[in-house]
Amino acid sequence: MSEKVYTRNVEALKSGTVIDHIPAGQGLRILRLFKLAEYGERVTVGLNLSSRHMGSKDLIKVENVALTPAQANELALFAPRGSVSVIEDFAVVRKQKLTLPETVEGIFACPNSNCVSHVEPVSSHFAVRATANDTKMKCKYCEKVFSKDIVVDVR
Ligand SMILES: [Zn+2]
């Protein structure tokens, strides 16, 4: 797909961030966990859009907010093949393929209910490591290692 075609697809966005190639069903979760609606800017969410490569996908556009590369990579926990485009003046100024972050802070609670992070005034902090068939997250405070799916399901 050429850059030109892509820009046309996001023509409604003058400036902001487009998160694309989110697996269908994860869009609302990303919106909530990463508090994308709390910037007070206009957010457009597409659910179950058709995708040549993925069958169906979700897509999120946030106006006037440019996610940093580090913020974008935190999304990779939900959208391992996602992409984040930052738009200025209708042009894509940065397009990033997501890669797993080394650490994730302040987003997920530790699944270990005895973990000190639940009683101390600290941000949660996990080291992220991909294994052959899973992604592991290790809590900095209790040093327990969890499967990513266990951590991200904790409310
Ligand atoms: Zn912990």
Side-chain angles (χ1 to χ4, degrees):
M1 193 186 292
S2 77
E3 207 66 3
K4 204 170 169 187
V5 172
Y6 186 80
T7 305
R8 201 157 59 220
N9 287 343
V10 295
E11 68 188 343
L13 194 62
K14 180 168 190 285
S15 69
T17 298
V18 179
I19 306 164
D20 199 358
H21 300 104
I22 302 167
Q26 298 293 333
L28 292 177
R29 201 172 192 199
I30 286 177
L31 192 71
R32 191 184 72 234
L33 274 171
F34 294 91
K35 301 179 167 52
L36 297 175
E38 293 181 18
Y39 291 102
E41 299 289 347
R42 186 157 68 179
V43 176
T44 311
V45 181
L47 301 178
N48 301 319
L49 306 178
S50 63
S51 160
R52 246 185 314 161
H53 303 294
M54 301 174 66
S56 65
K57 66 175 184 180
D58 293 348
L59 178 147
I60 301 172
K61 299 179 199 174
V62 189
E63 277 186 28
N64 300 321
V65 173
L67 290 187
T68 66
Q71 285 174 314
N73 279 336
E74 293 186 341
L75 304 174
L77 290 167
F78 299 95
R81 293 197 287 165
S83 67
V84 167
S85 300
V86 175
I87 315 288
E88 279 173 22
D89 250 337
F90 299 106
V92 178
V93 294
R94 190 181 78 228
K95 183 164 184 178
Q96 180 184 353
K97 289 235 175 276
L98 300 186
T99 52
L100 278 178
E102 288 181 11
T103 61
V104 181
E105 283 185 61
I107 294 172
F108 308 108
C110 182
N112 171 12
S113 56
N114 294 322
C115 179
V116 69
S117 67
H118 295 297
V119 289
E120 296 289 330
V122 292
S123 287
S124 69
H125 187 292
F126 294 93
V128 180
R129 188 170 52 89
T131 61
N133 43 21
D134 194 8
T135 299
K136 302 288 190 192
M137 295 175 71
K138 181 180 181 183
C139 176
K140 178 173 121 177
Y141 301 101
C142 64
E143 302 196 319
K144 287 196 186 306
V145 177
F146 306 94
S147 167
K148 177 207 79 169
D149 291 336
I150 290 172
V151 177
V152 304
D153 272 335
V154 172
R155 306 267 182 257

